[in-house]
Amino acid sequence: MDRAVTISQVAALAGVSTGTASKALNGRGALRPETRLRVQQAAEQLGFVANAAARSLQTGRTYTVGMITTDSIGRFSIPVLLGAEDALGAGQMSIFLCDARDDPIREQYYLRTLLSRKVDGIIVTGRRTQARAPIGVGLPVPVVYAFISSADPQDCSVVPDEADGSRRAVQHLLAIGRRRIAHVTGPEHHHSATIRAQGAVDTLAAEGLRLATPTLYGEWSEAWGRQAAGILLSTGADVDAVFCGSDQIARGLAEALTKAGKVIPRDIALVGFDNWDVMVDGCQPALTSVDMDLEGIGRTAAERLLAAINGSPAHGQHARPCRLVPRASTAV
């Protein structure tokens, strides 16, 4: 039976000391990128597999992170998880995913379970960007909030800049020559709906313009999109573009407008928000949409958590810019 490759063999092949090789593979120490890469390549070449128990004893860490989510469907939390895994995988760290299902009792149970497993840190995420109460006070490990934010300014939260997303959507419509823009979005009391609506209003105001109609608030659904299209058509609103607060709304609106004889984008250009592949590809024509870069949020949250684990915590809310993905619904 072949003997396991040792860290000393990896160090010898990489031309570094055993201590340097250990730091490079554990993601610790202030090493030059080329040194870290050389050690990682040597480890891969030799088929080196780190002994998790030995590494834990040596560093006092378990190299595990907990992620607690309230997003049972996974629409937002799965991309955040993928991004976090990308960042944590470089340090050979694993993630325990716990679905609290919007149940505070279940959430606290998972928190206690993760702490009992001695995780090095915790990422909290969910399906809404609205600030929530901290998951705990005086916890023994660092916590970072991803997509959702903590109401405590001392906590670290990584969120999408939804106002920036609205600005990009409206500026895109203006760039293709549209000036009579309507906005259809979700519930008026919903944090994201109000932020996105205000972003649209502010962007138009900066150009000396205003919405063609008052903002139409409703539900995050295709059914509301179809209903909103009926409202716009029945009132005879002079509209040449609609910015929707979600892709679901935009898809329903596109369906109703097309059924009423409107040609998208010739008659009315259309932009959604979320860049949800099921919706943007299923829309006819394919939907231009704002992407919040959920994987990027997950990566950044994990990087902030790693920094906190290593003694350099960040505080406050960190907003990441969105990006616009143009498709046929706004083609010139």
Side-chain angles (χ1 to χ4, degrees), residues 167 170-171 174 179 200-210:
R167 178 179 60 80
V170 172
Q171 286 183 340
L174 294 174
R179 294 295 181 271
V201 170
D202 291 345
T203 304
L204 286 170
E207 301 294 330
L209 301 170
R210 63 176 62 186

Side-chain angles (χ1 to χ4, degrees), residues 61-290:
R61 288 165 51 180
T62 60
Y63 293 89
T64 57
V65 165
M67 177 178 280
I68 299 177
T69 179
T70 58
D71 175 25
S72 298
I73 299 173
R75 164 69 189 92
F76 300 101
S77 60
I78 295 303
V80 170
L81 171 65
L82 294 175
E85 282 186 328
D86 286 345
L88 295 172
Q92 298 181 319
M93 299 184 74
S94 302
I95 300 179
F96 294 124
L97 178 63
C98 304
D99 179 12
R101 306 181 199 174
D102 263 339
D103 180 350
I105 296 175
R106 187 185 296 267
E107 182 176 85
Q108 288 302 305
Y109 164 76
Y110 281 133
L111 176 62
R112 291 193 301 271
T113 301
L114 290 171
L115 294 176
S116 72
R117 287 178 174 268
K118 304 296 183 184
V119 294
D120 296 326
I122 295 173
I123 296 173
V124 180
T125 188
R127 65 177 182 271
R128 294 186 178 184
T129 57
Q130 188 167 3
R132 53 155 291 164
I135 195 168
V137 179
L139 299 177
V141 297
V143 176
V144 173
Y145 297 79
F147 189 65
I148 63 172
S149 61
S150 170
D152 185 345
Q154 286 302 304
D155 287 334
C156 178
S157 304
V158 181
V159 299
D161 189 340
E162 296 177 272
D164 169 72
S166 288
R167 178 179 60 80
R168 292 172 188 269
V170 172
Q171 286 183 340
H172 175 65
L173 290 171
L174 294 174
I176 63 170
R178 307 305 164 107
R179 294 295 181 271
R180 302 182 303 279
I181 301 170
H183 183 52
V184 180
T185 192
E188 191 168 7
H189 61 79
H190 197 288
H191 175 74
S192 289
T194 56
I195 292 294
R196 295 172 191 182
Q198 191 59 51
V201 170
D202 291 345
T203 304
L204 286 170
E207 301 294 330
L209 301 170
R210 63 176 62 186
L211 287 172
T213 67
T215 296
L216 294 178
Y217 291 99
E219 301 174 344
W220 301 114
S221 68
E222 291 180 65
W224 164 236
R226 290 190 289 270
Q227 184 181 347
I231 293 172
L232 291 174
L233 293 171
S234 65
T235 58
D238 186 15
V239 171
D240 61 9
V242 181
F243 166 41
C244 294
S246 80
D247 293 335
Q248 286 175 284
I249 294 171
R251 183 175 174 181
L253 194 126
E255 179 186 325
L257 289 177
T258 301
K259 191 173 181 179
K262 299 292 184 181
V263 177
I264 301 170
R266 186 194 68 191
D267 300 329
I268 299 178
L270 192 59
V271 177
F273 204 112
D274 290 335
N275 200 33
W276 187 2
D277 53 359
V278 174
M279 291 293 153
V280 297
D281 295 335
C283 186
Q284 294 296 326
L287 181 65
T288 294
S289 186
V290 175

